[in-house]
Structure formats: C-alpha cells, structure tokens
C-alpha cells in the first residue's frame, strides 16, 4: 500500500498592495504583449522565438478585451511544427482607471 503525505503550500501574502502602493482602485492596461518560444536547451528541435504587441486605444480592464488581445497576439506569432516550451501574456502600461475614463 502506498501512502503519500500532503503538504500544504504556504499562504502567500496578497501582492496587490506591494505592487500598487497607495490607492487600490481599479487598474487597466494600455498594452498587451504575447510571446512564445521553443526550448533553448533542446538539440533536436529547431529554435523559434517570437513576440507580438497589441495596443488598446485607451486603458482597459475588461476581461473580454484582454482575452481577445491575447488571442490576436497568439495567432500572429504561432507557427505549426514547433514544440513550444514557454508562452505568456504580459500586460504593460498599467494605469488607474477612473469612472470618467
């Protein structure tokens, strides 16, 4: 019979206050960047790395807008036939959104 011990992961403190000192109102992004790459350590796979940037006309925190931008970036840089080891989306130019924006 196999038994496994379950470790509880330590609780991480909320990072929002560390990254956003002061006012904690809603935040929005003006730029979304996506990237993909193959493993730099694989000798048998061809190397490939690409990135794409999508700029918003005004800052947004709308999930639908952010997902659509991520999909546009991914479709622009994806190439069939590669074994990707890392991909990601980065939101940049973060600013506070106001009710008047």
């Amino acid at each position: 019979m196999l038994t496994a011990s379950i470790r509880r992961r330590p609780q991480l403190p909320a990072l929002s206050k560390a990254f956003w000192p002061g006012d904690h109102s809603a935040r929005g992004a003006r730029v979304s960047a996506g990237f993909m790459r193959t493993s730099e350590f694989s000798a048998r796979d061809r190397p490939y790395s690409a990135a794409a940037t999508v700029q918003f006309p005004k800052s947004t925190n709308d999930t639908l807008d952010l997902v659509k931008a991520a999909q546009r970036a991914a479709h622009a840089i994806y190439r069939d036939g590669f074994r990707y080891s890392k991909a990601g989306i980065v939101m940049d130019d973060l600013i506070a959104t106001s009710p008047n924006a």
Side-chain angles (χ1 to χ4, degrees):
M1 175 192 278
L2 295 175
T3 60
S5 63
I6 298 174
R7 283 188 184 170
R8 296 190 107 188
R9 291 185 180 177
Q11 289 290 352
L12 298 176
L15 296 178
S16 62
K17 290 183 181 178
F19 289 114
W20 300 106
D23 175 28
H24 295 288
S25 60
R27 306 292 179 200
R30 287 190 203 173
V31 177
S32 173
F35 65 91
M36 292 182 186
R37 73 172 193 199
T38 58
S39 175
E40 57 193 71
F41 303 107
S42 177
R44 67 181 182 154
D45 294 329
R46 295 178 296 156
Y48 176 76
S49 177
T53 302
V54 176
Q55 293 197 351
F56 301 106
K58 64 179 186 176
S59 70
T60 183
N61 59 5
D62 182 357
T63 305
L64 187 58
D65 289 341
L66 297 172
V67 169
K68 283 183 179 181
Q71 288 176 330
R72 278 198 307 258
H75 286 291
I77 59 179
Y78 177 81
R79 299 292 177 262
D80 197 21
F82 289 97
R83 293 175 6 137
Y84 294 100
S85 65
K86 189 170 191 176
I89 300 294
V90 178
M91 299 299 155
D92 198 9
D93 201 6
L94 301 171
I95 63 166
T97 57
S98 68
N100 303 338

